[in-house]
Amino acid sequence: MKQYIVTGMTCAACSARVEKAVSRVPGVESCSVSLLTNSMGVEGSASEADVIAAVTGAGYGAAVTGAGPKASAQPSAAAGDDPLQDHETPVLKKRLISSLFFLVILLYMSMGHMLWDWPLPWFMADNHVMMGIVQMLLAIAIMVINQKFFISGFRSLLHRSPNMDALVAIGSLAAFGYSTWALLAMTRAQLAGDADAVLGYMDEFYFETAATILALITVGKMLEARSRGRTTDALKSLMKLAPRTATVLEGGVEKSVPIEQVRKGDIFVVRPGENIPVDGVVLEGSSAVNEAALTGESIPVDKAAGDPVSAATTNQSGFIRCEATRVGEDTTLSQIIQMVSDAAATKAPIAKIADRVSGVFVPVVIFLALLTFAGWMMAGQSAGFALARAIAVLVISCPCALGLATPVAIMVGNGMGAKNGILFKTSASLEEAGKVATVALDKTGTITAGEPKVTDIVPAEGLTGRELLILAHALEQKSEHPLARAILREAGEQGLQAGEVSSFRALPGNGLAAEWNGSSLVGGSQAFVSGQVEVPEVMSRQAEQLAREGKTPLFFARDGVLAGIIAVADVIKEDSPRAVRELRNMGIRVVMLTGDNERTAQAIGTQAGVDEVIAGVLPDGKESVIRSLKARGRVAMVGDGINDAPALTRADIGIAIGAGADVALDAADVVLVKSRLSDVPATIRLSRATLRNIHENLFWAFSYNLIGIPLAAGLFIPLFHWQMNPTFGAAAMSLSSFLVVTNALRLNLLRVHDARGDKKLKTPTQKEAGAMQEKTLQIEGMSCGHCSARVKKALEDVDGVSQAVVSHERKNAVVTLSRDVPDDVLKQAVEAQGYQVVGIA
């Protein structure tokens, strides 16, 4: 995805206009515009120049993100500016202060004197025309200060894509124009000596309305800009973590260089209290490193020679010397920032409704305002009354609240996820994660720690556990088997040493043999060792019990006598049972997938508390299991992102857990930086809270306009005598967007690991889930992303196809059907684009 900065957008209608213009450019497969971050993501083969030209043609500025100012189509679109920096609030604040200075004087004259008979200067005391002229001049001053509304609004009208500024400009200018006509009429009446007419025209002045509208909208825009700036705080705080310099060793001499000059393979040093500049591996020294910036985990992690370190983490204790392995955009921090930025540049499916409404909202409002004016004139009201109602319709309408309802919540949700080590690749994944009905968990590395550990030491009579472990350590130290490493690790943790063995042999049947201190040692499985020595019945029963618990019993013997049993198992993570329990409390069915035998799998499943265990599943078979689980509803697959890639891709939501530095796993929709299963329910909890916030925002935005526009038009006057002054309409409009953004900021208060507020989500019944069908088409002839996009569009245009996922690399298309669609119809849709369907499953 190519990222661009877009300038000049002021409301949702603007972003819809830009998106529509760029989508028409040949070679553009998809385009997503974010009003929140003033950014645009474009996929396809279209050139940068064509994309920028399309934006410019729509009346806005554009530049490639990260490019210099010369890449910009307009000076105001300089890409060198930080798109996340709040440039708007200071400018709006100056405009507001200047506007208020003149507005206070204007309101004193127009309302203070007229309503409460406040004194006026001598030259206006008895001269109503002069009073009108001064009001007009004050209104003109405020309109000049806020000229951006008029420039942006009328430019959008010229491009036939009116935006919110057009509503404000038309409303303000209409009030000013009508008032100016009244002032001219008053002047003629005064010259004619008609005092009654002069006083009558005083009631036709709306100069204060024209000015107050602009001032109040500026207040709203400033509050909105400030709140919008806070929605990107999490992303900005990530960017601030990046160190500016690094201490590099050149010829044995330490030298401080800008971070941009560090290259892969450079040797750098980090002292206690300093941030690690780039990703690397420790060559010398040891320390405790605080990785909270990346993982959200506050407990420092011990690092020694050979261990990886990541940029922006803090060296807390020791001096370490490291070799740079990832620099620039390849560091973990840069990948996280890029992932969060890309997610912000995409659109959630729920935003499409608001986008469609925003695209036609302003023209409809202008039409309604004209209809309101004509209606009241036909009803016999005065032109001033009819104009006031029409202006109220214009200024109370707010497309921004609709346009911001989804992206502000998505941005805050993404930021909250990043702070907690939960990275959503797209806005759609953030929305969909909370809707899953089934979570499939890979066993190894997900539920379990992924590396065997010694769980039980059962010495034979006459030996101690310590003696048995030393004996096993001696025999296993030359073995390369994973279970041997577990025994060596346990011995190392207990500080045990064993001398070298001789005549070491790995024997058929999972057995080992060696000579040690004059004794003959053997070890291995029960089947192997029982053929070498006699195994007492009590030890056999003990081994069976350990096997039922999902552990692997290893037998050891010395000089023909059984020495004991050491059980080794891939133990479940400490937080796995709690995470599974939280998922089930959310109404989610939890399934464990593993290639282990049924007995071991059931033992682990029982400990974890899952609903169902599917054992004996090879990595390439997990994809078909996910396919069958999807018949019951949406499925999330949680795995390590390597051998689980097909299953992660097949699932509705793929979650890669314990990614560490590899945060850019292609197969996953969500990446969990920490290897903690409790982050899975936290992901779903965050998704549900974000979706709930979006629903609240959309409800407010639609309700506000559905109630506000009829009220402003005066439809409630005959029934309840409710009449809205245009000034109050402007105040309501200015607050609507602010309330939407403020509501989204409440997500910052969410505690993603707090399960107390969890509720069970209504999952679809078997009948409802079964209504959704899936078919896979094998397609020949696709060679690029453009081909995939053509096939995708062709399939999704077919009635009954709700979604199509097309891959030119896998040469297939997976279509989700809301009803039965004949194979011939799908085949014809694809082959009409010039590609060949060779099979449908």
Side-chain angles (χ1 to χ4, degrees), residues 459-494:
E461 188 175 349
L463 285 178
T464 66
R466 181 182 178 87
E467 290 171 332
L468 173 59
L469 188 56
I470 292 174
L471 181 152
H473 180 208
L475 182 60
E476 298 281 9
Q477 60 186 332
K478 288 190 175 183
S479 173
E480 296 180 357
H481 197 281
L483 299 183
R485 289 197 291 271
I487 292 175
L488 298 180
R489 190 182 306 110
E490 179 69 19
E493 290 174 358
Q494 295 191 23

Short mmCIF file of all heavy atoms in Angstrom, two decimals, residues 459-494:
data_model
loop_
_atom_site.label_atom_id
_atom_site.label_comp_id
_atom_site.label_asym_id
_atom_site.label_seq_id
_atom_site.Cartn_x
_atom_site.Cartn_y
_atom_site.Cartn_z
N PRO A 459 12.55 -41.17 41.50
CA PRO A 459 13.70 -42.08 41.65
C PRO A 459 13.27 -43.45 42.15
O PRO A 459 12.25 -43.59 42.84
CB PRO A 459 14.57 -41.36 42.69
CG PRO A 459 13.60 -40.57 43.51
CD PRO A 459 12.49 -40.17 42.58
N ALA A 460 14.03 -44.48 41.79
CA ALA A 460 13.78 -45.82 42.29
C ALA A 460 14.25 -45.90 43.75
O ALA A 460 14.94 -45.01 44.26
CB ALA A 460 14.51 -46.85 41.44
N GLU A 461 13.86 -46.95 44.41
CA GLU A 461 14.22 -47.11 45.82
C GLU A 461 15.74 -47.15 45.98
O GLU A 461 16.44 -47.81 45.21
CB GLU A 461 13.62 -48.41 46.36
CG GLU A 461 13.77 -48.57 47.86
CD GLU A 461 13.05 -49.80 48.38
OE1 GLU A 461 12.29 -50.41 47.62
OE2 GLU A 461 13.26 -50.14 49.54
N GLY A 462 16.24 -46.36 46.93
CA GLY A 462 17.68 -46.32 47.18
C GLY A 462 18.38 -45.14 46.53
O GLY A 462 19.58 -44.93 46.75
N LEU A 463 17.67 -44.39 45.68
CA LEU A 463 18.25 -43.21 45.03
C LEU A 463 17.46 -41.96 45.39
O LEU A 463 16.27 -42.03 45.70
CB LEU A 463 18.24 -43.36 43.50
CG LEU A 463 19.26 -44.31 42.86
CD1 LEU A 463 19.03 -44.36 41.35
CD2 LEU A 463 20.68 -43.85 43.15
N THR A 464 18.13 -40.82 45.34
CA THR A 464 17.45 -39.54 45.53
C THR A 464 17.15 -38.92 44.16
O THR A 464 17.74 -39.32 43.15
CB THR A 464 18.30 -38.57 46.36
OG1 THR A 464 19.47 -38.23 45.59
CG2 THR A 464 18.71 -39.18 47.69
N GLY A 465 16.25 -37.94 44.16
CA GLY A 465 15.93 -37.25 42.91
C GLY A 465 17.15 -36.56 42.33
O GLY A 465 17.33 -36.51 41.11
N ARG A 466 18.01 -36.03 43.21
CA ARG A 466 19.21 -35.34 42.75
C ARG A 466 20.16 -36.32 42.05
O ARG A 466 20.72 -36.01 40.99
CB ARG A 466 19.90 -34.71 43.96
CG ARG A 466 21.17 -33.93 43.63
CD ARG A 466 21.79 -33.38 44.92
NE ARG A 466 23.03 -32.68 44.65
CZ ARG A 466 23.11 -31.39 44.34
NH1 ARG A 466 22.00 -30.69 44.29
NH2 ARG A 466 24.28 -30.81 44.12
N GLU A 467 20.32 -37.52 42.63
CA GLU A 467 21.22 -38.51 42.04
C GLU A 467 20.68 -38.98 40.68
O GLU A 467 21.46 -39.18 39.74
CB GLU A 467 21.37 -39.70 42.99
CG GLU A 467 22.16 -39.36 44.25
CD GLU A 467 22.11 -40.49 45.28
OE1 GLU A 467 21.11 -41.24 45.31
OE2 GLU A 467 23.07 -40.61 46.06
N LEU A 468 19.35 -39.15 40.60
CA LEU A 468 18.75 -39.58 39.33
C LEU A 468 18.96 -38.51 38.26
O LEU A 468 19.28 -38.83 37.10
CB LEU A 468 17.26 -39.85 39.53
CG LEU A 468 16.45 -40.16 38.26
CD1 LEU A 468 17.00 -41.39 37.54
CD2 LEU A 468 14.97 -40.36 38.60
N LEU A 469 18.81 -37.26 38.61
CA LEU A 469 18.96 -36.18 37.64
C LEU A 469 20.40 -36.07 37.15
O LEU A 469 20.65 -35.81 35.97
CB LEU A 469 18.50 -34.85 38.26
CG LEU A 469 18.40 -33.65 37.31
CD1 LEU A 469 17.49 -33.96 36.12
CD2 LEU A 469 17.90 -32.41 38.05
N ILE A 470 21.39 -36.28 38.07
CA ILE A 470 22.81 -36.25 37.65
C ILE A 470 23.08 -37.37 36.67
O ILE A 470 23.76 -37.18 35.64
CB ILE A 470 23.73 -36.36 38.89
CG1 ILE A 470 23.62 -35.08 39.75
CG2 ILE A 470 25.18 -36.58 38.46
CD1 ILE A 470 24.38 -35.17 41.06
N LEU A 471 22.54 -38.55 36.96
CA LEU A 471 22.73 -39.71 36.08
C LEU A 471 22.13 -39.43 34.70
O LEU A 471 22.77 -39.67 33.66
CB LEU A 471 22.07 -40.93 36.73
CG LEU A 471 22.14 -42.29 36.03
CD1 LEU A 471 22.07 -43.41 37.07
CD2 LEU A 471 20.98 -42.47 35.04
N ALA A 472 20.89 -38.88 34.67
CA ALA A 472 20.22 -38.57 33.41
C ALA A 472 20.97 -37.47 32.65
O ALA A 472 21.11 -37.52 31.43
CB ALA A 472 18.79 -38.14 33.67
N HIS A 473 21.50 -36.50 33.39
CA HIS A 473 22.26 -35.41 32.78
C HIS A 473 23.49 -35.95 32.08
O HIS A 473 23.82 -35.55 30.96
CB HIS A 473 22.66 -34.41 33.88
CG HIS A 473 23.44 -33.24 33.36
ND1 HIS A 473 24.35 -32.55 34.13
CD2 HIS A 473 23.47 -32.66 32.14
CE1 HIS A 473 24.89 -31.58 33.40
NE2 HIS A 473 24.37 -31.63 32.19
N ALA A 474 24.18 -36.88 32.73
CA ALA A 474 25.38 -37.47 32.14
C ALA A 474 25.06 -38.17 30.83
O ALA A 474 25.77 -38.03 29.82
CB ALA A 474 26.02 -38.44 33.12
N LEU A 475 23.96 -38.93 30.82
CA LEU A 475 23.61 -39.70 29.63
C LEU A 475 23.08 -38.81 28.49
O LEU A 475 23.37 -39.05 27.32
CB LEU A 475 22.56 -40.76 30.01
CG LEU A 475 22.10 -41.71 28.89
CD1 LEU A 475 23.28 -42.50 28.33
CD2 LEU A 475 21.01 -42.65 29.40
N GLU A 476 22.31 -37.79 28.83
CA GLU A 476 21.64 -36.98 27.81
C GLU A 476 22.48 -35.83 27.26
O GLU A 476 22.10 -35.20 26.27
CB GLU A 476 20.34 -36.38 28.40
CG GLU A 476 19.31 -37.40 28.84
CD GLU A 476 18.51 -37.97 27.67
OE1 GLU A 476 18.88 -37.69 26.51
OE2 GLU A 476 17.54 -38.69 27.91
N GLN A 477 23.65 -35.55 27.89
CA GLN A 477 24.38 -34.34 27.49
C GLN A 477 24.91 -34.40 26.06
O GLN A 477 25.21 -33.36 25.46
CB GLN A 477 25.51 -34.05 28.47
CG GLN A 477 26.55 -35.14 28.59
CD GLN A 477 27.56 -34.84 29.70
OE1 GLN A 477 27.81 -33.69 30.00
NE2 GLN A 477 28.12 -35.87 30.29
N LYS A 478 25.02 -35.60 25.48
CA LYS A 478 25.47 -35.70 24.09
C LYS A 478 24.32 -35.93 23.10
O LYS A 478 24.54 -36.05 21.91
CB LYS A 478 26.50 -36.83 23.95
CG LYS A 478 27.84 -36.50 24.57
CD LYS A 478 28.88 -37.52 24.19
CE LYS A 478 30.27 -37.11 24.71
NZ LYS A 478 31.33 -38.06 24.30
N SER A 479 23.10 -35.99 23.64
CA SER A 479 21.94 -36.21 22.79
C SER A 479 21.46 -34.88 22.21
O SER A 479 21.58 -33.83 22.84
CB SER A 479 20.80 -36.85 23.59
OG SER A 479 19.62 -36.92 22.81
N GLU A 480 20.91 -34.94 21.01
CA GLU A 480 20.36 -33.73 20.37
C GLU A 480 18.84 -33.72 20.39
O GLU A 480 18.20 -32.86 19.78
CB GLU A 480 20.86 -33.65 18.92
CG GLU A 480 22.37 -33.49 18.81
CD GLU A 480 22.83 -33.41 17.37
OE1 GLU A 480 21.97 -33.55 16.48
OE2 GLU A 480 24.03 -33.20 17.14
N HIS A 481 18.23 -34.65 21.10
CA HIS A 481 16.77 -34.75 21.16
C HIS A 481 16.20 -33.60 21.99
O HIS A 481 16.79 -33.19 22.99
CB HIS A 481 16.36 -36.09 21.78
CG HIS A 481 14.93 -36.45 21.52
ND1 HIS A 481 13.88 -35.90 22.23
CD2 HIS A 481 14.37 -37.30 20.62
CE1 HIS A 481 12.75 -36.40 21.80
NE2 HIS A 481 13.01 -37.25 20.81
N PRO A 482 15.05 -33.02 21.58
CA PRO A 482 14.44 -31.92 22.36
C PRO A 482 14.18 -32.29 23.82
O PRO A 482 14.30 -31.45 24.70
CB PRO A 482 13.12 -31.64 21.62
CG PRO A 482 13.36 -32.12 20.22
CD PRO A 482 14.29 -33.29 20.34
N LEU A 483 13.80 -33.54 24.07
CA LEU A 483 13.54 -33.95 25.46
C LEU A 483 14.82 -33.96 26.28
O LEU A 483 14.81 -33.71 27.48
CB LEU A 483 12.88 -35.33 25.49
CG LEU A 483 11.52 -35.45 24.77
CD1 LEU A 483 10.95 -36.85 24.94
CD2 LEU A 483 10.54 -34.41 25.30
N ALA A 484 15.94 -34.22 25.62
CA ALA A 484 17.23 -34.19 26.32
C ALA A 484 17.55 -32.78 26.79
O ALA A 484 18.08 -32.57 27.88
CB ALA A 484 18.33 -34.72 25.40
N ARG A 485 17.21 -31.81 25.97
CA ARG A 485 17.48 -30.41 26.35
C ARG A 485 16.70 -30.01 27.59
O ARG A 485 17.16 -29.20 28.40
CB ARG A 485 17.15 -29.48 25.18
CG ARG A 485 18.15 -29.60 24.02
CD ARG A 485 18.06 -28.41 23.09
NE ARG A 485 16.81 -28.38 22.33
CZ ARG A 485 16.65 -28.98 21.15
NH1 ARG A 485 17.65 -29.67 20.60
NH2 ARG A 485 15.49 -28.91 20.51
N ALA A 486 15.51 -30.58 27.76
CA ALA A 486 14.72 -30.28 28.95
C ALA A 486 15.43 -30.78 30.20
O ALA A 486 15.48 -30.09 31.23
CB ALA A 486 13.35 -30.92 28.83
N ILE A 487 16.02 -31.97 30.12
CA ILE A 487 16.74 -32.52 31.28
C ILE A 487 18.00 -31.72 31.55
O ILE A 487 18.33 -31.41 32.70
CB ILE A 487 17.07 -34.02 31.03
CG1 ILE A 487 15.77 -34.82 31.02
CG2 ILE A 487 18.04 -34.55 32.07
CD1 ILE A 487 15.94 -36.28 30.67
N LEU A 488 18.73 -31.33 30.51
CA LEU A 488 19.95 -30.53 30.68
C LEU A 488 19.61 -29.17 31.29
O LEU A 488 20.36 -28.65 32.14
CB LEU A 488 20.66 -30.35 29.34
CG LEU A 488 21.14 -31.63 28.64
CD1 LEU A 488 21.83 -31.30 27.33
CD2 LEU A 488 22.09 -32.41 29.54
N ARG A 489 18.49 -28.59 30.86
CA ARG A 489 18.10 -27.28 31.40
C ARG A 489 17.76 -27.40 32.89
O ARG A 489 18.14 -26.54 33.70
CB ARG A 489 16.90 -26.75 30.62
CG ARG A 489 16.56 -25.29 30.93
CD ARG A 489 15.34 -24.81 30.17
NE ARG A 489 15.44 -25.04 28.75
CZ ARG A 489 14.72 -25.93 28.06
NH1 ARG A 489 13.86 -26.69 28.70
NH2 ARG A 489 14.88 -26.07 26.76
N GLU A 490 17.03 -28.45 33.24
CA GLU A 490 16.67 -28.65 34.65
C GLU A 490 17.90 -28.85 35.52
O GLU A 490 18.01 -28.29 36.62
CB GLU A 490 15.72 -29.86 34.77
CG GLU A 490 15.28 -30.18 36.18
CD GLU A 490 14.34 -29.14 36.76
OE1 GLU A 490 13.75 -28.36 35.97
OE2 GLU A 490 14.20 -29.10 37.99
N ALA A 491 18.84 -29.63 35.02
CA ALA A 491 20.08 -29.85 35.77
C ALA A 491 20.86 -28.55 35.92
O ALA A 491 21.44 -28.27 36.99
CB ALA A 491 20.93 -30.92 35.08
N GLY A 492 20.90 -27.77 34.86
CA GLY A 492 21.61 -26.49 34.92
C GLY A 492 20.98 -25.55 35.92
O GLY A 492 21.68 -24.83 36.64
N GLU A 493 19.64 -25.52 35.97
CA GLU A 493 18.95 -24.64 36.91
C GLU A 493 19.21 -25.06 38.36
O GLU A 493 19.19 -24.22 39.26
CB GLU A 493 17.45 -24.64 36.62
CG GLU A 493 17.08 -23.93 35.31
CD GLU A 493 15.62 -24.06 34.97
OE1 GLU A 493 14.89 -24.73 35.74
OE2 GLU A 493 15.20 -23.50 33.94
N GLN A 494 19.45 -26.35 38.59
CA GLN A 494 19.75 -26.83 39.94
C GLN A 494 21.24 -26.82 40.24
O GLN A 494 21.66 -27.20 41.35
CB GLN A 494 19.19 -28.24 40.13
CG GLN A 494 17.67 -28.32 40.07
CD GLN A 494 17.14 -29.67 40.53
OE1 GLN A 494 17.81 -30.41 41.28
NE2 GLN A 494 15.91 -30.00 40.12
#
